[in-house]
């Protein structure tokens, strides 16, 4: 595939590595080349199959609008724009393109969400629950998008219970650790996902771009990862 990778940061550079290993042709664009969207004109996008975005909340919506209007498929890993999900879905449907997004492109984390969903049954049996998340000290947002996704999954599975409390820690270079602890008067259950590197995000995003080739529609990765 001909991939355009937006963002040369911590995750974007790994996406470039994985894409090269999987024999895709890649062009990677950072903020210097795309500060005002100048890398996303129809001319520059000609010949690109799919755009993968790991940039930042302040520019991701402009990137999405330019690429979808140019009828390009997109895989969007950047977070912080989900209040606009309905508007983006309508844009994608209007332009008949393919689009996959996720706060977390790791297959392991998505499997963990399924496990948490099953474990929510404890909340109907005298257990209380808490969510803990740890990330590197440079991470700006708290709680993490993944912790919020865990909280939402548990609430959907046990709607009589209030949202579980999330406690966030920011320290050192922790890639991403999420724990759910259920506690009853008699015992405790611990669920833990500990990311060793960002590589699983990059692999998930590139394999999603492969899956999306020739498809149209607006997808959440949680409904797609089993098919990769
Ligand atoms: N969905 C997932 O699986 C997943 C996983 C990890 C991270 N994320 C999300 O992905 C985003 C990036 O994370 P990260 O850790 O890689 O951050 P990062 O290291 O800060 O990288 C972001 C990069 O985007 C660049 N950028 C900013 N504006 C741009 C523009 N208009 N065009 C092209 N590039 C631009 C920045 O360049 P400058 O430094 O020059 O400004 C920076 O290199 C965040 O929203 C994060 O929450 C999602």
């Amino acid at each position: 595939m001909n991939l355009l990778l937006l963002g040369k940061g911590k995750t974007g550079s790994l996406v470039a590595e994985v894409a090269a290993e999987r024999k895709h042709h890649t062009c990677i664009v950072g903020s210097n080349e795309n500060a005002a969207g100048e890398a996303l004109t129809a001319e520059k996008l000609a010949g690109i199959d799919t755009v993968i975005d790991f940039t930042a909340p302040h520019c991701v919506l402009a990137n999405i609008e330019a690429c979808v209007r140019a009828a390009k498929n997109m895989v969007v890993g950047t977070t912080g724009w989900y209040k606009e999900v309905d508007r983006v879905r309508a844009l994608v449907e209007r332009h008949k393109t393919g689009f996959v997004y996720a706060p977390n492109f790791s297959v392991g984390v998505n499997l963990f969400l399924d496990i948490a969903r099953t474990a929510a049954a404890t909340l109907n049996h005298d257990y209380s629950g808490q969510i803990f998340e740890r990330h590197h000290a440079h991470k700006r947002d708290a709680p993490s998008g993944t912790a919020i996704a865990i909280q939402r999954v548990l609430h959907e599975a046990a709607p009589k219970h209030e949202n579980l409390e999330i406690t966030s820690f920011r320290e050192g270079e922790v890639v991403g650790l999420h724990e759910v602890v259920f506690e009853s008067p008699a015992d405790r259950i611990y669920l833990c996902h500990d990311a060793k590197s960002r590589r699983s995000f990059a692999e998930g995003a590139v394999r999603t771009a492969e899956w999306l080739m020739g498809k149209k529609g607006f997808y959440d990765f949680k409904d797609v990862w089993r098919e990769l």
Side-chain angles (χ1 to χ4, degrees):
M1 296 174 72
N2 279 325
L3 297 176
L4 175 64
L5 312 180
L6 296 178
K8 285 183 186 174
K10 292 183 282 298
T11 319
S13 25
L14 265 182
V15 172
E17 258 180 61
V18 171
E21 282 165 23
R22 294 177 74 86
K23 313 284 183 231
H24 298 299
H25 299 285
T26 56
C27 171
I28 180 161
V29 164
S31 62
N32 287 346
E33 301 97 318
N34 190 44
E38 59 271 33
L40 303 177
T41 60
E43 264 177 345
K44 294 208 171 138
L45 289 171
I48 298 293
D49 295 310
T50 299
V51 181
I52 301 182
D53 188 309
F54 280 92
T55 58
H58 74 267
C59 62
V60 62
L61 280 169
N63 293 344
I64 291 172
E65 288 196 15
C67 295
V68 174
R69 284 183 200 284
K72 294 298 157 186
N73 280 3
M74 279 194 99
V75 173
V76 176
T78 308
T79 51
W81 59 275
Y82 300 141
K83 285 188 188 135
E84 301 292 331
V85 149
D86 289 341
R87 189 164 68 80
V88 170
R89 179 187 290 110
L91 186 75
V92 167
E93 286 169 359
R94 198 160 59 245
H95 289 271
K96 299 188 169 46
T97 61
F99 189 100
V100 186
Y101 76 102
N104 197 310
F105 271 100
S106 153
V107 165
V109 163
N110 282 271
L111 192 56
F112 184 74
L113 289 175
D114 278 4
I115 294 167
R117 190 175 289 115
T118 304
T122 53
L123 297 174
N124 299 326
H125 290 273
D126 253 3
Y127 286 79
S128 59
Q130 268 185 293
I131 301 166
F132 299 95
E133 58 104 348
R134 276 171 208 275
H135 282 87
H136 52 87
H138 329 283
K139 187 169 173 66
R140 292 187 197 125
D141 54 324
S144 68
T146 303
I148 294 169
I150 295 169
Q151 187 188 52
R152 192 175 54 239
V153 155
L154 291 169
H155 187 64
E156 282 165 6
K160 284 190 205 140
H161 288 265
E162 295 201 346
N163 273 330
L164 263 51
E165 184 189 357
I166 302 175
T167 307
S168 302
F169 301 92
R170 295 288 171 267
E171 62 189 17
E173 296 301 325
V174 182
V175 177
L177 188 142
H178 292 89
E179 288 173 291
V180 188
V181 181
F182 298 101
E183 175 146 4
S184 79
D187 58 3
R188 279 193 200 96
I189 300 170
Y190 296 94
L191 304 180
C192 176
H193 180 274
D194 188 5
K196 287 155 72 177
S197 79
R198 290 187 169 74
R199 197 165 162 104
S200 60
F201 308 136
E203 280 185 0
V206 174
R207 289 172 58 199
T208 299
E210 294 166 3
W211 176 89
L212 192 60
M213 186 78 182
K215 290 193 178 66
K216 307 207 174 310
F218 186 84
Y219 304 92
D220 185 327
F221 182 69
K222 75 177 165 47
D223 303 317
V224 163
W225 65 268
R226 289 174 191 77
E227 295 178 31
L228 298 186

